[in-house]
Amino acid sequence: MTEPKGREAGLQLLREHALIAGEPVTSAKRIAVDDPATGEILGHVPDLGVVETERAIQAAHDAFPEWSRSDPHRRSAFLREWARLIDENTEGLGALMALENGKPFEEAKGEVAYANGFIKWFAGEAERLLGETQDTPLGHVILTFREAVGPCAFITPWNFPAAMLTRKLGPAFAAGCTAVVKPASQTPFTATALAELAYRAGLPKGVLSVVTGDAATIGGVLTASPLIRKLSFTGSTPVGRLLAEQCAPTLKRVSMELGGAAPLIVFADADLDLAVAETIKGKFRNSGQTCVCPNRVYVERSVADEYARKLAGAVAQIPVGAAFEPGVKVGPLIEDKAIAKVEDHLAKTAAAGGKVLTGGGRHALGGRFFQPTVTLGGDDALFRREETFGPLIPVFAFDSEDEVVGKANDSEFGLASYLFTRDLDRALRIGRRVEAGMCGVNTGLISTAVAPFGGVKQSGYGREGSTHGIDEYVDIKQVTLNLR
């Protein structure tokens, strides 16, 4: 029998239920999930509330003692089997994500591989939960252990529905934590499909639940519960602030990956063709709807016009279309208000004297499609304050290092940054001066399972991925021995 391909493979993984302790849960009250490219309703998920969320929390609490005390090599073996099943279902998971998110099918399959990288990485980290020994001045010996922090709550966004989930679940499971996941209502199917694969891989019942429904209701229950010991959130800064405040009474461990307004700096000595190509790679993934994508580009004045001309020429050639059309690189935006925000930023740029070099409006395809757009000039202040979260690149000229570093840092955000130069001294100097948790030098792609991902300032705290990622899910316990 021929395996299903493309759209059909995705529909075979679509489940119109939530999962509590691994068991399907439905509800008379439901939330519609649509295809951003067409507006077609793909299906519905339960609109769960307080009672169901509390059941999921209790399940995570009940499962925690046995799971946290399990052999770390057993947890590693589970993660490796889960990774194998994800690899086996790349076609279907990618298609399901493309349907509910709108990103091109090939890009979605790439996200599945990227997401699975975290599972594979933390399968290894599970086997390396190392402790320490230390002699003391009192003649004692101190042993330190890294122990699972407890049941965790994860609130994940719609823009990377697979990767933002596995980047949290990978280290949590490796450490021995249990989890309750609240996925974005725009893209819940990917989370449920991944969770069902986790249970097929041998995850014990109760270790993972996926609850769908109103974000404020479910988030309120998760943050208020004393049984949840850790919250990890990826999303906007205003929502992150609210969740952190709600977690304060129970003193939860909290990690936040919040908004960004990433600067990209191009110096006159840079390889402009490379800078253009990497700017496009960084900006147009998921139609510009990424927290680390370049939000504002600063180019040294002597090459600003040339760079902008090359960039506009390349951007004008980017194929736009629905997820399963061959060769498509940019899909629709997630919802109508996303289109309105791009239009607002364009209007304000024009009012400040900026010029549109290519694009500049809604795409001929209609609906939620928007033309990939490049502007030159105007006032960069707007883009220091707000993420566009769409396919718009504003380019501004600068004259000196101090000027551009000042502009790069004149933002409440500090997630990602990028710079292009052939001068290694400058790369390190500017890379250290820019206030961001991450900096890409001569590259527009900086995220991988082996890199510590996270920001500073109002872009949040905590790190995901890398050897540091598991630290967010463990407490350090010391045992002092009086050896006689």
Side-chain angles (χ1 to χ4, degrees):
M1 181 177 176
T2 304
E3 290 292 323
K5 296 291 185 181
R7 180 185 173 94
E8 291 306 311
L11 292 174
Q12 286 202 359
L13 291 178
L14 190 153
R15 302 288 184 268
E16 294 186 278
H17 57 242
L19 287 174
I20 295 181
E23 298 299 325
V25 175
T26 58
S27 169
K29 190 178 179 183
R30 302 190 302 166
I31 299 171
V33 182
D34 70 8
D35 178 348
T38 64
E40 171 195 0
I41 301 300
L42 299 169
H44 298 77
V45 290
D47 187 358
L48 303 181
V50 173
V51 172
E52 296 89 352
T53 305
E54 288 177 342
R55 279 177 52 204
I57 292 170
Q58 188 64 48
H61 173 73
D62 293 344
F64 176 72
E66 182 177 355
W67 180 242
S68 63
R69 291 195 299 265
S70 64
D71 183 347
H73 295 85
R74 173 193 169 194
R75 299 198 296 268
S76 175
F78 151 69
L79 288 167
R80 295 184 199 283
E81 176 62 12
W82 189 20
R84 186 191 68 78
L85 290 176
I86 292 172
D87 279 338
E88 193 176 273
N89 286 274
T90 294
E91 183 93 2
L93 289 167
L96 183 60
M97 191 191 316
L99 284 167
E100 63 179 348
N101 172 277
K103 67 179 59 181
F105 181 39
E106 292 303 317
E107 181 181 333
K109 287 191 290 184
E111 182 184 332
V112 174
Y114 167 55
N116 209 11
F118 291 98
I119 303 300
K120 294 172 181 177
W121 173 262
F122 286 107
E125 291 298 290
E127 300 171 334
R128 293 187 288 273
L129 282 170
L130 304 178
E132 300 169 342
T133 64
Q134 178 67 54
D135 294 321
T136 79
L138 300 177
H140 301 159
V141 174
I142 295 176
L143 308 180
T144 60
F145 301 89
R146 298 165 79 193
E147 297 188 343
V149 69
C152 300
F154 298 135
I155 301 176
T156 58
W158 50 262
N159 57 344
F160 290 94
M164 298 303 97
L165 182 60
T166 61
R167 201 161 73 182
K168 301 178 192 301
L169 285 178
F173 288 158
C177 296
T178 55
V180 178
V181 173
K182 165 61 179 82
S185 294
Q186 296 95 327
T187 57
F189 296 133
T190 300
T192 303
L194 284 168
E196 292 200 338
L197 290 178
Y199 276 109
R200 277 179 52 192
L203 189 68
K205 294 293 183 182
V207 173
L208 174 61
S209 294
V210 178
V211 288
T212 56
D214 177 67
T217 300
I218 293 174
V221 178
L222 294 173
T223 54
S225 174
L227 301 183
I228 294 293
R229 299 307 310 144
K230 156 83 181 185
L231 171 78
S232 179
F233 169 69
T234 298
S236 73
T237 294
V239 175
R241 292 187 188 118
L242 176 62
L243 291 171
E245 180 180 353
Q246 291 174 345
C247 286
T250 52
L251 291 178
K252 289 178 180 27
R253 290 273 293 277
V254 177
S255 54
M256 298 276 176
E257 193 263 283
L258 306 177
L264 184 149
I265 303 169
V266 181
F267 288 96
D269 69 332
D271 180 335
L272 293 188
D273 291 330
L274 174 67
V276 164
E278 294 297 318
T279 300
I280 290 172
K281 286 181 188 177
K283 179 63 187 184
F284 288 103
R285 285 181 304 134
N286 201 31
S287 304
Q289 300 170 117
T290 75
C291 54
V292 295
C293 72
N295 198 58
R296 48 203 169 110
V297 176
Y298 301 105
V299 187
E300 198 161 0
R301 192 171 301 278
S302 63
V303 295
D305 287 343
E306 182 182 1
Y307 168 89
R309 175 179 54 78
K310 287 175 176 282
L311 180 65
V315 167
Q317 302 304 311
I318 295 176
V320 178
F324 297 96
E325 294 177 13
V328 164
K329 298 296 183 185
V330 169
L333 299 188
I334 192 68
E335 55 195 1
D336 293 337
K337 67 180 182 181
I339 291 277
K341 188 171 187 180
V342 180
E343 290 180 324
D344 176 65
H345 282 195
L346 268 171
K348 289 175 178 174
T349 298
K355 297 179 180 179
V356 173
L357 301 185
T358 190
R362 297 185 183 228
H363 198 276
L365 291 169
R368 300 173 193 168
F369 291 94
F370 201 91
Q371 297 175 34
T373 300
V374 178
T375 64
L376 177 62
D379 187 355
D380 72 316
L382 170 66
F383 299 96
R384 286 182 254 145
R385 297 191 308 267
E386 297 182 17
E387 288 182 282
T388 303
F389 238 59
L392 163 63
I393 303 179
V395 179
F396 309 94
F398 73 89
D399 294 300
S400 70
E401 282 190 11
D402 286 344
E403 176 196 359
V404 76
V405 169
K407 289 189 173 186
N409 291 341
D410 187 15
S411 172
E412 68 175 5
F413 302 108
L415 187 57
S417 60
Y418 306 87
L419 64 96
F420 290 83
T421 178
R422 289 187 173 99
D423 185 330
L424 179 59
D425 287 346
R426 173 183 281 154
L428 291 174
R429 183 171 63 249
I430 303 301
R432 295 295 298 273
R433 290 182 66 191
V434 171
E435 296 169 353
M438 300 172 285
C439 181
V441 178
N442 295 326
T443 180
L445 301 177
I446 57 175
S447 184
T448 168
V450 305
F453 190 103
V456 298
K457 302 196 291 188
Q458 295 295 310
S459 289
Y461 41 79
R463 293 297 180 266
E464 295 183 317
S466 83
T467 57
H468 302 286
I470 203 166
D471 292 339
E472 302 290 333
Y473 298 93
V474 295
D475 287 324
I476 303 300
K477 174 179 281 186
Q478 67 106 328
V479 175
T480 298
L481 303 178
N482 183 8
L483 300 179
R484 300 186 180 185

